[in-house]
Amino acid sequence: MSTNTLVPVLERNQIHASMKERYVDLTKKFEAHFGCKPVFFCRAPGRVNLIGEHIDYCGYSVLPMAIQQDIVMAVCPNQSQQLNLVNTNPTFKSFSTSIRNFTISKEKPEWFNYVLCGLKGIAEFSKLDKPVGLSILTDGTVPKSAGLSSSSALVCCAGLTMMYANDLNISKLELADICAKCEQYIGTEGGGMDQSICFLAEAGKAKHIEFNPLRATDVTLPSAVSFIICNSCTEMNKASTSHFNQRVVEDRLACQIMAKSKNLDWKKVRRLGDLQVSLECSIEGMLELVDNTFKRTPYSKVEVCKLLDVSEQELNASLSDNTLHVQEFKLHDRAKHVFSEASRVIQFKKICNEAQDGCHKLLGDLMNQSHASCRDLYECSCPELDEVTEACRQAGAFGARLTGAGWGGCAVAMVQTSDVPNFIQSVHSKFYSKDAKRESNIDAKLFATVPGRGAVVYKA
Ligand code: GLA
């Protein structure tokens, strides 16, 4: 993709026929609420990550695809510099503020804080002194806290809205980069996978996404397989716990301790991927280095300080607010997961591209190994995700794994397309029918998905 490709701006009649009614309905709701018509719509999809979990923030490539579920914002600019945010879901409260001056709450990340992140990111990037005011009605179909990236879809949709409303031209690659950075205003130190696929996705294609510099290459998925999303029915908001940032810190400390042991300027090496580049070492070599450097049991703060030759104060200064309390760091297991998962992504891509007989089983095995590594080494699974992925395997999936940050949310399974109806029925009876709460609204929890298109603007 050329580095300056822009998000497509389409006419209203280019909205897919099956979606037209939703936009008509949104227009009516917008008028009822704001007393005027929306001028444009922005749409940003959620995503499912097929393989490569918790490695984007270490600098390693990932392999996601966009899904049909999305965030749509109906928008009308105003000259009063007022920002009015309303959601079609009545449980998400409305919010109004001046568009020039607002704070983003890290304590209680409500939906509109993600919108604020996207608006602020673009305003800062473009040094907008006087961004136009905006009335925005948001409608989302990505389930929240489900590992399908509803938060990044909100951030990206808001970023795109700010760009279009202020007549700016920012490339998809830049938008992805800005939105990845500005989502961190919420306090989670995520990588760039979600925002990249949101802008760079193309219908019918999964993408291999690499970072530094950001680029996305098509991955041809094997024919006759389908990807099924299975919600574990356990919610997990990564910004409201410290699990996520704790893993980021553990990876960084593992990286810096190995860098120091190899006499590198360790303060400058913060990501395991950069360490590998500096050492000019293979992934196998990095896995060996992990085994030779770390004991299997957790490290205390005192031990980490000793290895890095820093005071506890210095160590604390490098931690985020929500990881200051962490007393134990599992350096061996976290680093082992990162390097092995990075290797699985490369193998997955290679197998897809070679498309040989028997590739389904090989891809499924990689997905199963990825789940086991997330569960045992990275400890980002949960009993329900383990249960639903096992139900998928028993129901005949080639492979199944948690997707997204984990600790709850969704799994993804790879299934023979001709087998999808039987598979869905079988997982339904093995996992969902056990519990009325799991079973309610089942079609939104257990469904087949195909690679969807990336973000887009529609004129109203
Ligand atoms: C979240 C983050 C991503 C990525 C995944 C885990 O979705 O936003 O950057 O780290 O978790 O793979």
Side-chain angles (χ1 to χ4, degrees), residues 91-161:
T91 64
F92 293 155
K93 70 176 188 214
S94 304
F95 180 77
S96 288
T97 181
S98 150
I99 198 146
R100 290 178 73 180
N101 186 16
F102 52 75
T103 46
I104 298 172
S105 165
K106 292 183 179 177
E107 266 73 62
K108 225 177 143 231
E110 304 225 35
W111 73 278
F112 53 79
N113 284 299
Y114 294 96
V115 178
L116 298 179
C117 284
L119 299 176
K120 183 174 152 99
I122 297 300
E124 283 184 352
F125 172 82
S126 304
K127 302 193 174 58
L128 284 179
D129 281 345
K130 287 188 183 158
V132 292
L134 296 167
S135 296
I136 305 179
L137 173 64
T138 299
D139 184 56
T141 54
V142 192
K144 78 173 169 69
S145 306
L148 301 178
S149 192
S150 60
S151 39
S152 300
L154 275 171
V155 175
C156 294
C157 207
L160 185 58
T161 296

Side-chain angles (χ1 to χ4, degrees), residues 242-251 320 322-323 325-330 334:
S242 60
H243 300 315
F244 194 97
N245 284 0
Q246 186 173 336
R247 296 298 179 274
V248 178
V249 166
E250 287 171 314
D251 292 343
S320 55
N322 73 350
T323 51
H325 68 283
V326 178
Q327 294 298 334
E328 279 196 339
F329 304 91
K330 294 196 177 175
R334 308 307 188 225

Side-chain angles (χ1 to χ4, degrees), residues 47 52-54 56-57 190-194 238 244 404-405:
R47 60 100 188 93
E53 224 59 85
H54 286 281
D56 57 348
Y57 51 82
M193 163 169 69
D194 307 345
K238 64 183 181 299
F244 194 97

